[in-house]
Amino acid sequence: MFRLLLKDVATKKMVVNFRELTSYLMKEAGMDDELPELVDKTATIKMIAGMFLFLIVLRTGILWRPLELMINTLVGEGNVIFLLLPFVSLYLFLGFFFLLYRIWSKKVLTRKLGELIPIAERAIAALKAAGRDDLEEDIEDAEFLIEDYKKRFGF
């Protein structure tokens, strides 16, 4: 099920390998453009902060009272097993947000891969115009990866 959920997203290994190939082709073509950063660090911090803000709102706000009322009416006051409910719900909450974080990070990596493709295409065009036959295999590898990524991710 999770494989289908993450089917059309890039992996970190894909992005790192394509980034290295693009960097090499750019260096050989004499391009001085900067490659985009691999991962936006502030976005990760914003995601974690949003997760804890949601936890605070859930625990103290509008969503906690109906949940507490439902638990009290269904369970009653004397059942000891439901003393563990806050711990179980915390683990479920953290697991749910970890899954959301993984999905979000995969989408970010797909977007980063999409930013690298035009740069690689420019480097390939510059190398072909310069007639660099010694890099024919690297150019073919890059062209194959670009076509594969365009077909797979719809860039």
Side-chain angles (χ1 to χ4, degrees), residues 1-12:
M1 178 179 126
F2 293 115
R3 194 175 252 310
L4 292 175
L5 189 62
L6 299 174
K7 181 182 170 195
D8 289 332
V9 292
T11 62
K12 189 171 185 174

Side-chain angles (χ1 to χ4, degrees), residues 62-75:
I62 300 167
L63 301 174
W64 181 253
R65 293 297 170 206
L67 183 63
E68 186 178 13
L69 180 65
M70 182 182 70
I71 291 170
N72 286 338
T73 56
L74 290 176
V75 176

Side-chain angles (χ1 to χ4, degrees), residues 37-53:
E37 290 296 320
L38 184 59
V39 177
D40 186 14
K41 294 177 179 127
T42 59
T44 304
I45 293 170
K46 288 177 187 178
M47 176 73 175
I48 292 170
M51 179 179 71
F52 284 113
L53 180 66

Side-chain angles (χ1 to χ4, degrees), residues 60-143:
T60 61
I62 300 167
L63 301 174
W64 181 253
R65 293 297 170 206
L67 183 63
E68 186 178 13
L69 180 65
M70 182 182 70
I71 291 170
N72 286 338
T73 56
L74 290 176
V75 176
E77 295 294 329
N79 203 341
V80 177
I81 192 81
F82 285 98
L83 292 175
L84 297 176
L85 188 63
F87 299 111
V88 172
S89 63
L90 178 65
Y91 286 122
L92 289 174
F93 172 77
L94 291 176
F96 173 71
F97 270 103
F98 178 74
L99 179 65
L100 284 180
Y101 174 74
R102 294 295 294 173
I103 293 170
W104 172 78
S105 66
K106 296 290 184 181
K107 293 294 182 182
V108 167
L109 290 174
T110 304
R111 188 178 50 214
K112 293 293 181 184
L113 188 62
E115 293 173 1
L116 288 173
I117 288 177
I119 298 170
E121 287 175 336
R122 285 197 318 258
I124 289 170
L127 289 171
K128 283 184 176 181
R132 296 285 306 261
D133 293 334
D134 57 328
L135 298 173
E136 185 176 339
E137 289 181 23
D138 293 324
I139 291 172
E140 287 176 2
D141 290 343
E143 287 176 337

